[in-house]
Amino acid sequence: MDWLLVLCSLVHLFVCPFTKVEESFNLQAIHDILYHQTDIQEYDHLEFPGVVPRTFLGSIVVSVIAAPFVAVSRVLEFPKDVSLYLVRFALGALVLWPLLKLQKRIKGTLGKGTSDWFVLITVSQFHFLFYLSRPLPNTMALPLVLFAYYYWLGQQHGKFIACSAAAILIFRGELAILLGLILLGELLTRRLSLSKTVFIAVPSGLFCLFLTVFVDSFFWQRLLWPEGEVLWYNVVLNKSGDWGTSPFLWYFYSAIPRAMGTSLALLPVGMFFERRVWPVVLPALFFVLAYSFLPHKELRFIIYVIPLLNIAAAAACNRLWENRTKGKWFALLALISIGHLVANLVLTSFLLMVSRANYPGGEALFLLHKMESRESNVTVHIDVLAAQTGISRFGQLHNNWMYDKTENLKPGCPELRMFSHLIVEAKSKHAYNLRPYAETHEIVAHIEGFSHIRSSYNHFPPIRIKTKPCLFILKNKYLPEEPDFSFTLRKHSVEAAEQSLPPAAEFDNRNQLDGEVLLNENSTDIPELNENSRDE
């Protein structure tokens, strides 16, 4: 059943190939490693550093895996955006590898039935596979976390501790809670001694700390420990709430139900029938409880617990399916276990279609490349919304074109009139911020983005995904013979630090898409995007 995980991951990748602002650091870093290599001064992060630094180690690993395929792509003269697919596929493979090993560990621990149901449940859900190939800081940590689970369930404590140390010190410090709870359970049950823990943990931690400081200090051109600065910013300075807050129990009543879908109902059933899943589920739930104290919440911050919770749901489905021949009620319960997968798939298909409409920036640049020939002398300015919703260096196909993201330029200012094209945020062609271009530019295209969900009982299905114009492509009618772009030489404060924008369609009672405003059907506003955005 391994092919199901690979196939469904590819579906998510090809339906939604573009990336959002919270993925931008790792994606741009991978691009720069592949295309600029040791020419650090050309790297994107020196011009757009973000609010907090991130490690390059994950980007380096993905780049090494993708490099041979990208090289072949360049030799065959494929468009540059093909490399985006190759990079995301490399990252997806890096996550799928330990996930498949974990599935086999489940087979050895809880049986083949539970292992098969684990795969079926995982592919039926939306969020885990959607995030699996996205270059988020959380995804970069995911392979190490999955390997840690694999070694933990196999009682290979040394490798478990080493993977945990790397995940915590290099990628995501909050994993100290989750993996620390697992380690504490091993110590309390005396499956692992304290002396052995210290013997392995200290050198592993020191090595990981040295590695990240050594590598990242080179790329950032200053001495630093990236994850240490992130922890200082979020925990000591407690500034995570500056980027939006959610109620304390939001993970429990919103994030986990959306991530698990109808499989959530089977979680307590699995814990009731199969007591062996208790040590798997409890650390995950306590981690979510502890992490709830941070005011800024996003589903991707707890994505690591979904496989553990799915193990319990898989155990429930396996028990119900095995008992299907014992009577009519048991047969009905077995059908419910299958039916819940169908319900998950329907929800996943719907969310995937919503997510596809969440990348107007990527669609806009793709459309501009189709409208203008490669030989054209195109200079395009990309505004904040476009830069945050799908545009990356992988989408900049032509070396002879100029792509600029200079911020804080007022509509109609002399600087913007230097460009042959503008990609501009606007609610309609009559929007106020387009008026300064009425005489100087023509609207050549507009791109629609997700607006809201509308129920309609006159159609099937009775739910409609509504879009509305959000980006316009303008062409300069009076391009200067010798445009002056000297203003683009100044450094920018932030372009793509990682804000909570919707990697997917994620709903809660605040009308949000896990970090993006979800417009109701009477709203006429486009979500406002903060230029100085970041990732927690």
Side-chain angles (χ1 to χ4, degrees):
M1 303 196 53
D2 297 358
W3 62 272
L4 270 178
L5 286 168
V6 177
L7 178 62
C8 292
S9 300
L10 289 174
V11 169
H12 283 273
L13 192 161
F14 284 107
V15 172
C16 297
F18 300 118
T19 58
K20 277 288 186 68
V21 61
E22 66 271 16
E23 304 162 63
S24 64
F25 169 76
N26 284 311
L27 189 68
Q28 308 286 40
I30 293 169
H31 171 278
D32 294 340
I33 293 168
L34 290 171
Y35 286 89
H36 298 306
Q37 298 172 5
T38 57
D39 189 2
I40 302 297
Q41 297 308 314
E42 290 295 320
Y43 276 43
D44 183 84
H45 72 287
L46 296 181
E47 187 175 6
F48 303 108
V51 178
V52 289
R54 283 295 179 188
T55 180
F56 271 82
L57 286 170
S59 301
I60 292 172
V61 173
V62 175
S63 300
V64 169
I65 297 172
F69 305 99
V70 173
V72 172
S73 173
R74 297 176 71 177
V75 169
L76 297 176
E77 297 184 347
F78 288 153
K80 190 178 180 181
D81 53 359
V82 171
S83 298
L84 173 62
Y85 290 87
L86 295 174
V87 163
R88 288 196 54 192
F89 182 79
L91 176 57
L94 196 61
V95 178
L96 281 172
W97 176 29
L99 182 64
L100 292 172
K101 290 180 73 69
L102 177 63
Q103 179 239 341
K104 289 177 174 56
R105 182 72 80 195
I106 295 168
K107 179 179 178 181
T109 306
L110 298 173
K112 184 179 185 300
T114 301
S115 171
D116 290 343
W117 280 103
F118 174 79
V119 173
L120 293 173
I121 289 172
T122 300
V123 299
S124 74
Q125 296 167 343
F126 174 73
H127 292 88
F128 191 83
L129 292 188
F130 185 82
Y131 284 124
L132 182 142
S133 66
R134 297 195 160 273
L136 295 157
N138 314 81
T139 307
M140 292 295 180
L142 198 52
L144 287 169
V145 175
L146 293 173
F147 269 121
Y149 294 161
Y150 170 76
Y151 292 128
W152 164 47
L153 294 177
Q155 293 297 291
Q156 296 173 273
H157 293 117
K159 294 179 179 179
F160 163 74
I161 294 172
C163 289
S164 299
I168 294 165
L169 294 172
I170 297 175
F171 293 104
R172 301 295 297 191
E174 74 271 11
L175 286 169
I177 304 171
L178 174 59
L179 299 173
L181 286 169
I182 294 174
L183 180 62
L184 180 62
E186 296 299 290
L187 291 171
L188 292 176
T189 55
R190 297 186 178 181
R191 288 191 287 264
L192 176 64
S193 67
L194 182 60
S195 59
K196 183 179 179 180
T197 301
V198 174
F199 181 76
I200 300 172
V202 171
S204 297
L206 290 175
F207 174 77
C208 293
L209 188 60
F210 168 79
L211 183 63
T212 182
V213 170
F214 179 78
V215 173
D216 292 312
S217 295
F218 169 76
F219 281 99
W220 285 97
Q221 303 285 281
R222 64 183 177 90
L223 184 65
L224 84 164
W225 171 31
E227 195 55 28
E229 292 196 14
V230 174
L231 289 172
W232 178 268
Y233 187 92
N234 288 331
V235 179
V236 179
L237 300 181
N238 195 27
K239 288 195 173 184
S240 66
D242 294 349
W243 312 101
T245 62
S246 301
F248 181 81
L249 295 177
W250 181 83
Y251 284 128
F252 290 98
Y253 70 74
S254 179
I256 292 178
R258 284 179 287 124
M260 294 192 67
T262 57
S263 303
L264 179 62
L266 295 166
L267 174 61
V269 179
M271 296 180 69
F272 177 79
F273 282 121
E274 182 57 83
R275 295 302 177 95
R276 287 179 294 177
V277 304
W278 280 68
V280 174
V281 173
L282 290 181
L285 296 180
F286 280 122
F287 164 72
V288 176
L289 180 64
Y291 206 51
S292 296
F293 284 94
L294 275 180
H296 181 56
K297 298 177 176 65
E298 293 185 45
L299 189 151
R300 62 189 175 94
F301 295 163
I302 62 164
I303 195 67
Y304 327 102
V305 307
I306 303 304
L308 298 181
L309 301 181
N310 280 344
I311 291 175
C317 289
N318 182 55
R319 178 63 66 91
L320 295 177
W321 184 252
E322 286 181 342
N323 293 337
R324 67 188 182 280
T325 59
K326 293 184 177 180
K328 293 182 179 180
W329 286 107
F330 290 101
L332 178 61
L333 290 174
L335 287 176
I336 290 175
S337 64
I338 296 176
H340 105 276
L341 295 178
V342 176
N344 281 353
L345 287 171
V346 171
L347 179 62
T348 293
S349 301
F350 173 72
L351 294 178
L352 196 56
M353 291 302 101
V354 172
S355 297
R356 184 174 175 81
N358 268 328
Y359 301 89
E363 299 288 350
L365 191 59
F366 178 78
L367 182 58
L368 180 60
H369 285 121
K370 290 181 64 176
M371 292 190 301
E372 299 290 341
S373 67
R374 183 189 187 100
E375 295 74 23
S376 302
N377 185 25
V378 172
T379 56
V380 56
H381 180 266
I382 300 163
D383 79 352
V384 174
L385 175 62
Q388 293 182 332
T389 56
I391 290 180
S392 71
R393 289 192 172 188
F394 283 105
Q396 298 175 5
L397 304 185
H398 306 321
N399 293 330
N400 60 310
W401 286 24
M402 176 183 175
Y403 305 87
D404 182 73
K405 302 176 185 176
T406 303
E407 299 178 4
N408 304 318
L409 299 179
K410 295 182 179 179
C413 68
E415 290 87 350
L416 287 176
R417 295 187 182 183
M418 298 293 112
F419 296 94
S420 65
H421 293 77
L422 305 175
I423 301 179
V424 182
E425 174 188 2
K427 301 172 185 177
S428 73
K429 63 180 181 180
H430 305 295
Y432 178 79
N433 62 312
L434 293 187
R435 292 179 187 174
Y437 307 109
E439 302 296 328
T440 59
H441 292 70
E442 62 174 320
I443 298 175
V444 294
H446 78 273
I447 295 84
E448 298 201 349
F450 175 76
S451 173
H452 61 273
I453 305 299
R454 173 175 291 173
S455 58
S456 175
Y457 298 105
N458 297 324
H459 300 87
F460 182 83
I463 296 178
R464 285 286 181 267
I465 300 169
K466 308 300 291 186
T467 60
K468 66 192 311 181
C470 60
L471 288 175
F472 286 77
I473 301 177
L474 310 182
K475 187 172 183 177
N476 196 338
K477 295 188 289 186
Y478 307 105
L479 186 65
E481 292 184 4
E482 296 183 2
D484 177 16
F485 292 111
S486 59
F487 63 92
T488 65
L489 298 178
R490 65 174 181 260
K491 295 296 182 182
H492 311 285
S493 55
V494 178
E495 174 257 343
E498 303 144 324
Q499 187 191 18
S500 314
L501 292 178
E506 303 180 352
F507 308 105
D508 61 26
N509 63 356
R510 299 164 301 150
N511 285 341
Q512 289 187 351
L513 292 180
D514 204 11
E516 177 184 30
V517 177
L518 169 63
L519 305 180
N520 60 48
E521 49 184 271
N522 297 319
S523 175
T524 59
D525 295 331
I526 293 291
E528 293 185 4
L529 302 175
N530 187 342
E531 296 180 18
N532 297 320
S533 56
R534 63 176 285 280
D535 171 74
E536 186 181 330

